Amino acid sequence: MLELKHPYISVDYGGARSYGGRQQSDGSRSMQKCGCGIVAAADVLLYLSRSSVENGKDSPALSPIRQADYEAFCRRLRTAYMPIIPHAGINGLGLMAGMELFFRRNSLPYSAQWRFYNGDMWKKMSEMLEADMPVIMSVGPNFPCFWKNSRATLYEQAADGSFRSAALTKAHYVTATGMNDDWVRISSWGRMLYINRAEFERYTHEHSAGFLCSILYISHK
């Protein structure tokens, strides 16, 4: 599996260490309901600050990160860079703009681009992982019938290597930390989970749309 070169961000939630941030534990109801984009952005920025630029001047202490410090960083992102819309969260273009602003204000040598799903999405994802960058990935809402409830399956891997269904989701950001020809390993809700690539493609074409099932492509300037 192609994967990140360093251990992924972990948050200490009362002695239990997560795999990435966990929006359900945030004290803000808005974050609990629609903060997945902020959590994904926070994880990526914290990972980049550890692996390539030490500490960005807006970054708190790194892994294992105290829950209070992690939530303070998320609040900083919401206030100064990525305001979320109540009950709706943040769309891909808003996420891209917020990341670009963070990079500029903190003199970080990166550029962000929201890429629609197309034939090169997996290639672009592998480029980022090879460059030791986590990838923000969107499991889009149902489209054009937003009120429908078709969902993509997220899996967990058993000790014997098999995969079993762990959750269903739509309109949700996750962060990819590894991939092979069949699976994408992700962080979601503070857990290590997996997306089946073929199933994600079917979900995109049958229940959502390419401009909604996308990735945030970050590159070095």
Side-chain angles (χ1 to χ4, degrees):
M1 176 172 281
L2 176 62
E3 56 189 357
L4 298 173
K5 297 177 176 62
H6 299 86
Y8 192 56
I9 293 299
S10 180
V11 182
D12 183 351
Y13 290 103
R17 293 184 57 174
S18 67
Y19 187 71
R22 190 171 68 199
Q23 71 192 79
Q24 311 98 303
S25 299
D26 196 286
S28 164
R29 289 188 178 181
S30 294
M31 281 292 293
Q32 293 171 14
K33 182 174 178 61
C34 52
C36 54
I38 302 298
V39 167
D43 285 4
V44 169
L45 292 169
L46 289 168
Y47 186 89
L48 292 177
S49 72
R50 175 177 60 190
S51 63
S52 58
V53 295
E54 295 292 325
N55 287 321
K57 63 184 180 182
D58 275 343
S59 298
L62 297 176
S63 185
I65 305 168
R66 292 192 314 122
Q67 180 179 353
D69 290 335
Y70 184 84
E71 292 180 2
F73 186 51
C74 287
R75 285 194 299 274
R76 173 68 174 160
L77 291 181
R78 290 174 58 197
T79 301
Y81 301 97
M82 306 172 195
I84 60 177
I85 301 170
H87 309 293
I90 185 170
N91 63 31
L93 296 178
L95 193 62
M96 177 189 72
M99 294 290 271
E100 280 282 298
L101 182 60
F102 187 96
F103 294 152
R104 288 200 303 271
R105 285 185 179 174
N106 291 273
S107 301
L108 301 179
Y110 301 107
S111 177
Q113 177 185 9
W114 189 250
R115 294 188 66 87
F116 295 167
Y117 178 90
N118 55 43
D120 72 347
M121 192 185 86
W122 303 122
K123 178 178 180 291
K124 291 301 183 182
M125 184 179 291
S126 67
E127 288 177 3
M128 284 187 61
L129 292 171
E130 287 173 354
D132 198 28
M133 297 183 188
V135 185
I136 298 176
M137 183 178 183
S138 170
V139 181
N142 291 172
F143 182 86
C145 303
F146 288 102
W147 59 88
K148 289 191 175 181
N149 200 34
S150 297
R151 295 173 181 261
T153 303
L154 305 184
Y155 294 85
E156 59 186 4
Q157 189 171 26
D160 63 2
S162 64
F163 293 88
R164 59 193 177 200
S165 175
L168 298 173
T169 192
K170 66 174 183 176
H172 181 53
Y173 291 103
V174 302
T175 310
T177 63
M179 66 182 294
N180 59 24
D181 290 341
D182 300 311
W183 296 93
V184 180
R185 185 178 65 203
I186 63 168
S187 165
S188 180
W189 306 303
R191 301 168 61 188
M192 181 188 294
L193 297 170
Y194 294 82
I195 289 175
N196 182 278
R197 285 175 50 168
E199 289 184 4
F200 180 81
E201 291 179 0
R202 285 197 297 273
Y203 175 83
T204 298
H205 295 302
E206 296 176 7
H207 303 294
S208 191
F211 66 94
L212 297 171
C213 295
S214 315
I215 64 169
L216 184 71
Y217 181 71
I218 298 174
S219 58
H220 286 276
K221 287 185 176 179

